[in-house]
């Protein structure tokens, strides 16, 4: 039985330092950039039908939670917090970086049987590295940025068009 401090320590939850926050922000941007590059490569190599299926799923998610940037930020925070708490905080210390990242990818069932699952595994590896090097809190920051950027970009594009 752990007290609250031991539990927070075990999960890697800390009050982030400025450095951890900046690193989490940077890794979220890097993960998003890798996702864009991976998506471009996949688009060049795949059939339009395969890409259309994943794009439809992604757009449904964005439209369901992206009515306002505040709702999108809330979605990005809640999903990033809960996934990182589970995968990086609870599972990774027991099973390690690679198995946890693969499991993380497989839990994103909307991308199964597509190359997008590889992108999610790579993103999971980045978030897992953050957990090992800094804290789960840094991974949460990166995940929030990664999840929020699509909503932000779509909002900006819709405003300018």
């Amino acid at each position: 039985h752990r007290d609250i401090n031991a539990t927070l320590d075990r999960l890697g939850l800390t009050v982030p330092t400025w450095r951890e926050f900046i690193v989490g922000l940077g890794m979220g941007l890097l993960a998003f950039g890798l996702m864009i590059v991976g998506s471009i490569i996949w688009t060049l190599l795949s059939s339009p039908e395969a890409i259309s299926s994943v794009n439809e799923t992604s757009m449904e998610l964005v439209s369901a939670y992206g009515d306002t940037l505040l709702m999108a930020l809330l979605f990005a925070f809640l999903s990033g917090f809960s996934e990182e708490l589970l995968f990086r905080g609870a599972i990774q210390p027991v099973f390690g970086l690679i198995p946890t990242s693969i499991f993380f990818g497989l839990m994103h069932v909307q991308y199964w049987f597509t190359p997008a699952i590889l992108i999610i595994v790579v993103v999971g590896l980045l978030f897992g590295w953050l957990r090992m090097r800094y804290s789960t809190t840094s991974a949460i920051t990166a995940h929030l940025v990664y999840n929020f950027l699509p909503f932000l970009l779509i909002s900006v594009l819709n405003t300018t068009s």
Side-chain angles (χ1 to χ4, degrees):
H1 294 83
R2 296 181 178 105
D3 65 12
I4 188 69
N5 290 331
T7 300
L8 293 174
D9 186 54
R10 161 65 175 73
L11 292 172
L13 290 174
T14 62
V15 175
T17 64
W18 276 109
R19 179 176 181 186
E20 289 177 326
F21 176 76
I22 296 299
V23 169
L25 181 65
M27 277 299 216
L29 291 169
L30 175 65
F32 187 76
L34 288 173
M35 184 267 302
I36 295 295
V37 169
S39 297
I40 291 168
I41 292 169
W42 178 36
T43 300
L44 295 173
L45 300 175
S46 294
S47 70
E49 296 82 26
I51 295 163
S52 177
S53 171
V54 172
N55 284 345
E56 285 176 29
T57 302
S58 296
M59 289 311 292
E60 285 176 18
L61 182 66
V62 168
S63 65
Y65 295 102
D67 288 346
T68 67
L69 282 180
L70 181 59
M71 286 300 294
L73 185 61
L74 182 62
F75 168 77
F77 173 76
L78 291 175
S79 60
F81 180 83
S82 61
E83 288 181 11
E84 293 309 310
L85 187 63
L86 174 64
F87 289 102
R88 262 43 85 183
I91 296 174
Q92 184 172 314
V94 176
F95 294 101
L97 175 62
I98 293 172
T100 301
S101 298
I102 292 169
F103 185 52
F104 175 73
L106 293 175
M107 292 307 296
H108 288 80
V109 295
Q110 70 269 29
Y111 301 116
W112 275 27
F113 308 115
T114 69
I117 197 78
L118 297 175
I119 296 168
I120 299 299
V121 170
V122 170
V123 167
L125 288 167
L126 289 173
F127 295 162
W129 177 84
L130 269 176
R131 171 24 166 137
M132 289 176 6
R133 178 71 172 86
Y134 295 96
S135 66
T136 301
T137 309
S138 293
I140 291 168
T141 302
H143 202 143
L144 184 153
V145 169
Y146 178 81
N147 282 353
F148 183 66
L149 280 175
F151 294 103
L152 182 61
L153 288 177
I154 289 171
S155 175
V156 167
L157 291 173
N158 286 340
T159 303
T160 59
S161 59

